[in-house]
Amino acid sequence: MATNGAVSNSAAANLDMADPTGEYTFLDKLIARMDRHLIFPLLEHETSKEELSDARYRDLTLAKYLLLKNTNMHDYVSNLWKELNNSEDIPLEFSRKRDEVIEQLSTLQNETAKISELLDDESVVSQLRSDKVANLKFLEENHGVTADMVNNLYVFGRFQYECGNYGDAAELLYQFRVLSTDNDKVARATWGKLVCEILTTNWEAAMEEINRLKESIETRLFNNQRAQLTARESLVHYALFPFFNYEPARDVLTDLYFSPAYISSIQTVCPWILRYIAAAVITNRSRSKNVSGAYQKQLKDLVRIVRQEIYEYNDPITEFVKALYVDFDFEEAQNKLVEAEEVLKGDFFLASATETFVDSARHLISESYCKIHQRIDIK
């Protein structure tokens, strides 16, 4: 339930190669860092775009098929196969796999029924403490719970996850995490639960998991810098989902991205995230809760980072920042704003913020122009 680069690259490789704006390449960079279940809504967004060529639509359909064919979503995968092959009949192996999934579902339900019922019983839960070892001993002595029963919660959670039953998966992974002393599996369960909360748009719970993972990355992986870097790279990509969908997340995640450890990671391995940092800072101008001093610091930090990364990453959004605050070229800033608007409209994460971005950017152009000319008049 962590990132799946191999699956992502397999899907991305089948996207249409004609890429005049560079946005297909940009999409490839994003999905290569994401879990396959998070990639799917991005591909759906691409499929829904107007004026999509038949070749591009087929490439996206094939990408979705390759992405999901090894999950338990056999009905949906079967429909994709029918569409790709222009057939109403499906191979026998599809039906066989579907039967296997149904049988496994029944088995796992039976194997986890007892422990799930116990964890739903308030009289039992009220007796649990923060000490997992003590909790397991209590449940074993009083209710016959075994280590295998706890592990089955994780197995069933993964199974439901691969079925696309994200609400059920989140609950099972949470129950597993409450009891398990296997730190590696607990970490994987937390990543999986984050994906589940994102895909059920439970943003408050998603932010709780992001904060939990942030703490885990800094403590559990303290002695493994490479693992820390990889985990931070995943987290900044996963966090894009609540970033522009959940108002209370904006300030928290902006601060996270600008924090020394994370901005260093972004500059090192995924500078394209600057698109979203820039968009967040610019749109933050219009948010009533934003304090002027804090906003000016965000803007100053953004300009500094864009200046540093000019030769590593640029797009119309970062180029707008460069034109306005590095080159002080107002005509070029206007031109880049027009290009940025088109990029925003097509971006899965930023499309809904397009109008706010453009309005805020125009105000920033006016403010900068007035400040410069005021200084000239004074002189």
Side-chain angles (χ1 to χ4, degrees):
M1 285 175 282
T3 54
N4 198 324
V7 173
S8 305
N9 292 336
S10 177
N14 289 278
L15 300 181
D16 189 19
M17 296 302 291
D19 189 15
T21 64
E23 287 303 292
Y24 298 167
T25 301
F26 184 87
L27 177 63
D28 286 355
K29 291 176 180 177
L30 287 181
I31 68 178
R33 274 80 184 172
M34 289 186 179
D35 179 275
R36 77 175 80 201
H37 294 259
L38 291 180
I39 297 170
F40 180 72
L42 274 68
L43 297 182
E44 280 286 271
H45 175 75
E46 290 294 310
T47 306
S48 68
K49 288 183 177 179
E50 297 180 358
E51 300 180 2
L52 197 67
S53 70
D54 291 341
R56 176 66 173 168
Y57 179 85
R58 180 175 174 79
D59 286 342
L60 287 165
T61 303
L62 179 57
K64 287 188 285 187
Y65 172 77
L66 293 172
L67 187 73
L68 300 177
K69 70 175 184 177
N70 292 324
T71 68
N72 294 332
M73 303 180 195
H74 293 301
D75 289 344
Y76 185 76
V77 170
S78 295
N79 288 334
L80 290 174
W81 189 93
K82 289 178 183 178
E83 184 175 356
L84 287 167
N85 292 276
N86 193 26
S87 172
E88 288 301 313
D89 299 319
I90 58 173
L92 288 176
E93 65 178 290
F94 282 61
S95 299
R96 178 179 54 79
K97 287 182 179 180
R98 188 177 188 278
D99 292 340
E100 289 174 356
V101 167
I102 293 173
E103 182 179 353
Q104 191 175 3
L105 173 64
S106 177
T107 299
L108 288 170
Q109 284 175 332
N110 291 332
E111 290 177 346
T112 58
K114 179 178 179 178
I115 191 170
S116 291
E117 289 172 5
L118 287 171
L119 293 175
D120 286 335
D121 187 335
E122 184 59 35
S123 64
V124 174
V125 174
S126 63
Q127 298 182 66
L128 300 181
R129 301 293 180 261
S130 59
D131 186 339
K132 291 184 178 182
V133 174
N135 289 338
L136 285 171
K137 185 176 180 181
F138 163 76
L139 290 171
E140 180 182 4
E141 292 177 350
N142 293 275
H143 300 283
V145 171
T146 65
D148 284 343
M149 291 168 67
V150 173
N151 191 62
N152 282 339
L153 290 171
Y154 178 78
V155 174
F156 195 19
R158 283 183 59 92
F159 178 85
Q160 291 283 35
Y161 182 81
E162 294 298 342
C163 289
N165 298 328
Y166 302 115
D168 292 337
E171 180 61 23
L172 287 160
L173 294 172
Y174 170 76
Q175 290 177 342
F176 168 78
R177 198 169 63 186
V178 166
L179 296 176
S180 178
T181 56
D182 186 330
N183 291 331
D184 289 338
K185 279 189 176 178
V186 166
R188 292 197 294 272
T190 302
W191 283 103
K193 188 170 184 295
L194 170 58
V195 176
C196 291
E197 305 298 3
I198 288 172
L199 293 173
T200 54
T201 64
N202 189 353
W203 300 123
E204 185 175 356
M207 287 304 299
E208 291 175 3
E209 299 305 323
I210 286 172
N211 289 329
R212 186 185 295 272
L213 284 165
K214 176 179 176 290
E215 182 179 350
S216 174
I217 290 168
E218 302 313 313
T219 55
R220 181 170 168 270
L221 301 178
F222 179 76
N223 292 322
N224 189 336
Q225 292 186 348
R226 180 60 201 174
Q228 271 192 329
L229 182 64
T230 301
R232 288 185 190 130
E233 181 183 16
S234 295
L235 191 60
V236 298
H237 283 83
Y238 288 29
L240 291 175
F241 287 87
F243 202 5
F244 292 93
N245 284 295
Y246 183 53
E247 179 70 17
R250 184 69 67 83
D251 290 334
V252 174
L253 291 176
T254 300
D255 289 343
L256 174 68
Y257 287 1
F258 272 127
S259 65
Y262 279 80
I263 198 63
S264 175
S265 298
I266 289 167
Q267 290 179 282
T268 301
V269 293
C270 50
W272 49 87
I273 295 295
L274 289 178
R275 167 183 293 189
Y276 300 104
I277 298 175
V281 171
I282 291 170
T283 55
N284 278 354
R285 183 197 175 280
S286 65
R287 297 169 69 236
S288 59
K289 294 181 181 179
N290 203 12
V291 179
S292 178
Y295 181 70
Q296 290 304 317
K297 184 180 185 307
Q298 286 181 0
L299 194 57
K300 183 178 178 181
D301 288 342
L302 173 64
V303 173
R304 172 177 55 82
I305 295 162
V306 167
R307 189 198 300 266
Q308 291 173 351
E309 298 300 316
I310 285 173
Y311 300 107
E312 294 298 325
Y313 176 77
N314 61 78
D315 64 25
I317 297 168
T318 62
E319 288 172 343
F320 166 79
V321 175
K322 175 180 178 291
L324 184 58
Y325 291 109
V326 178
D327 301 332
F328 302 104
D329 186 334
F330 298 105
E331 183 177 354
E332 180 66 4
Q334 292 278 12
N335 293 335
K336 290 301 176 183
L337 180 55
V338 173
E339 294 178 22
E341 184 175 6
E342 291 306 308
V343 169
L344 288 158
K345 287 178 180 178
D347 189 290
F348 172 83
F349 297 104
L350 299 176
S352 62
T354 302
E355 185 176 344
T356 303
F357 178 95
V358 172
D359 182 63
S360 296
R362 285 172 178 161
H363 279 89
L364 290 172
I365 291 173
S366 298
E367 288 173 3
S368 297
Y369 184 85
C370 290
K371 284 180 182 179
I372 287 178
H373 283 271
Q374 185 180 39
R375 290 171 187 156
I376 293 173
D377 290 341
I378 291 172
K379 290 180 181 179

